[in-house]
Amino acid sequence: MAEPLKEARVVVREDECKGCGLCIAACPEEVLFEQKHLNRMGYHPAGYKGSGCSGCGYCFYQCPEPGAITVYKKGYVEEEAA
Amino acid sequence: MANALIKADSFYELYERKSGIQDVTHYCPGCGHGVLHKLIAEAIDDFGIRERTILISPVGCSVFAYYYFRVGNIQAAHGRAPAVSTGIKRVHPESIVISYQGDGDLAAIGGNHIIQAANRGENITVFFVNNAIYGMTGGQMAPTTLAGQKTTTSPYGRNVNSEGYPLKVCELLSSLEAPVYIERVALTDPKNTTKVRRAVRKALQNQIDNKGFSLVEVLSVCPSNWKMTPVQSKQWLVDNMIPQFPLGVFRDKTAEIPNRETIRNTFDQSGVREKLEIPANEKQVQYSLQPKMDFANPKLVIAGFGGQGVLILGLGIAQAAMQAGYNVSWLPSYGPEMRGGTANCNVNISRERVGSPLVTKPTVLIAMNLPSLEKFDSKVEANGLIIYDTSLINKQPTRQDVHVLGIPATQMADELGNTRIANMVILGAFIAYTAVLNKEVVFDALPNFIKRKNLLPLNESAIIRGMEYVLNKVTN
Amino acid sequence: MAKQLIKGNEAIVKGAILAGCRFYFGYPITPASEIAEAAAFYLPVVGGTFIQAESESAAINMLYGAASGGVRAMTASSSPGMSLKQEGISYAAGSELPMVIVDVMRGGPGLGNIAPAQADYNQMVKGGGHGGYKMVVLAPNSAQEMCDLTMLAFDVADKYRNPAVILADGFVGQMMEPVEFPEPVMELPKKEWAIQADAQDEFRLVSSIDLEPEELEKHNVHLQQKYAAMEANHVMFEDYQTEDAELVVIGYGVVSRILHSVVDELRGKGVKIGLMRPISLWPFPKNHIIELAARIKRFFVVELSDGQMVDDVRLAVNGKIPVQFYGRYGGVVPSPDEIIAQIMKKNEA
Ligand SMILES: Cc1ncc(C[n+]2csc(CCOP(=O)(O)OP(=O)(O)O)c2C)c(N)n1
Ligand code: SF4
Ligand SMILES: [Mg+2]
């Protein structure tokens, strides 16, 4: 059994991102940013700065793509996702 | 409380019905549809109703909502989703039916359907995406387009003097009695989005509890057709749409309406014949009938004023003839013609198969008023029979080549205490004169066409009087 | 079995319920209203549902929803209402939904009148909505057939997952005749494809849209194969005195009843005349017409319209023998004498 997460974490699935920027605008911690490269659909996908996510989920509920953003809150245990 | 925000289980893992890339939606970047989809899917997950949820996809950008929701899916014609929802919900009351519609779909082409479904209090949940535009067809004016807003079909801005004002669906529907819950929310900042999330859940919970009709209007961005970035769109929505479409709850009877049980439909054919009032199989009674020569297979026209019971008279003759083993048909004049005050019917009685139900050359005319006698007198076949009510018709039939039987039927009925049974006096006269039927079969048939049983004796007396009149006349 | 003297319109409802129909969606219109009224009366008694829809368009879409749910369901209307239903019928054909649709035709065009007519032939038989779809269209000519063909229509609809139509006219709907009602259908066919609010629903979809031309063409090919099977299996007609006929009159619905009288009368005068009555208008009994054309001298078609079915007769006959036509419009129903006069006149011509 994996350890519970010590810090919240956001994962952007770049392939599914359409670069609308709504998550970036909504993030109160300003830890999301527009990446320079283009993804397979030709969009600049959002990216996570790697730390500072509070797990508020604002980005998740701004993002129109069902699978593009996942937010793991503090205390999340890996197996739950299975 | 879930410790992660993950793609809902109520979405298909892969959108296999979609062509091209199957792990992203077809929606434009930043589109509000996708966000609302997520809130709905999450609620379906959390309520544990996925297996019994049925989604009606509209015509609009969300026409392909069925690509994504892992539920029962029905795609409906433009604007008809509330009607389709009604149909499937009535069939499966245990299901959770979501009617998902855009503003063109719901408020323009489907305007009447949503009003009527709301007014019937259908136990469905409607999610109404108002983006003030026709998204799918490329940005034309919607009924919800704002005053002055430029679209491809209002290129100079919506002119309220010729195109009217943005249609306020929540306000309109909240004038109805039946809806349980109506709220307008907006997909803007996280705070408002939380309200959308709450409204989605409440609207679904109401249906789970069988409370009735719920509608959530969701103000939503269409960056592509508004020609703005997604971020600018949200600001535009806040600055321009919300003032025109105030957010809030317009109806909430959730607390006062009790939860109701779900009553499932069951299919049961037992006793169905009785329930349909189909007569039980009885032995065919044999009646000995010897119709007079000229009346072997009579074709009747029976005519008079509406209210004289000419249709019932024809029906009675047809019913008795059927019970006597003849083939029969009865054809009424119908519709507005009856409202004009005259009524007539055609009856065929035959040992052969009945051809035309329409009698154009009657062998028997029963005329209960003068216009009827005048209208049909010339049409009667030679050697036929004209029966007419001498208490109302003070003219003789002109024909010399037919049998003529005048009978003061209305007067005789009056003497029996009810003018309205003149028709039965005539029925008696008809059977006595022609012997096509006899008293036994007519009396047997009587309960099948006289619905009020307490009137049976009176009808029987009238028939007997009619018969006696003819028999006395013949013997005199 | 005991017979019941009953209106054609009412016989439809009893037949439908005996066939297992439990859902009716409709909007009142003369001369079809008795169907809605009888449905409203009897369906609640058998645990069914009647809804008076806000329009014919709503009715057909409610039916679309109900049929998606796998039950036997129906609607009925008359000509102007059928015009409104065409959109939904096209969707139902595209989505492959079984349902029964009854049209009790009246005079037109436009509001016309409520008298019997047959001017809906093209819109119902040829598929009045968009797209190349077909439906089995049955034309009863008696109250008994209103019942029997309605029951059959449910079977055909389910068998092929396709709408089926009863095309009647004001007289067949309004007249009363003795009907012997068959025994009820006790068990309905299983419909695995239907939306049932269960765990398998995620694999089910009722839809007529497909953006990919290649895919939509495949779907159309599938539909065409289905229609070919329907055409092979469901031709229905009735012949009367055609064995030695030199002249065959053709008519459906109430017209066939009038033509029956015409044949009796002319046979009495020694004319070698017979009647062919199409019962299925689609599939049209064209092979039978071809057979008849090989051994008779002429066809005489009568319709309560400008002549719509006659086109199908002419297509089948393909110029081999004369196909004459007599039609009345606007709700006028010709008498046997009138038709006889026309037959004689065209004989001299
Ligand atoms: C009968 C009919 N008329 C017109 C159309 C074309 N059409 C498709 S979508 C649409 C408008 C959809 O707008 P809306 O309901 O606002 O949905 P949105 O795309 O904005 O989400 C129209 C007019 C159609 N499919 N069917
Ligand atoms: S056109 Fe507008 S409503 Fe349609 S998907 Fe794009 S953004 Fe969304
Ligand atoms: Mg719109």
Side-chain angles (χ1 to χ4, degrees), chain B residues 27 31 33 58-63 76-80 100-109 128-144 220 222 225, chain C residues 87 91 130:
Chain B
Y27 294 114
C31 175
H33 279 301
V59 174
C61 282
S62 47
V63 65
H78 197 19
R80 319 296 180 209
Y100 188 110
Q101 301 186 259
D103 41 42
D105 193 83
L106 180 140
I109 192 165
F128 165 40
V129 177
N130 177 357
N131 55 12
I133 202 119
Y134 281 17
M136 176 166 233
T137 39
Q140 295 82 9
M141 186 178 68
T144 47
S220 172
C222 175
N225 286 302
Chain C
E87 178 201 42
Y91 275 70
H130 57 290

Side-chain angles (χ1 to χ4, degrees), chain B residues 118-119 121 173-174 176-182 212-214 251 253 257:
Chain B
N119 195 45
L173 293 183
S174 57
L176 302 173
E177 209 49 46
V180 174
Y181 170 57
I182 298 173
F213 183 89
S214 297
R251 166 67 55 85
K253 297 203 283 191
I257 295 178

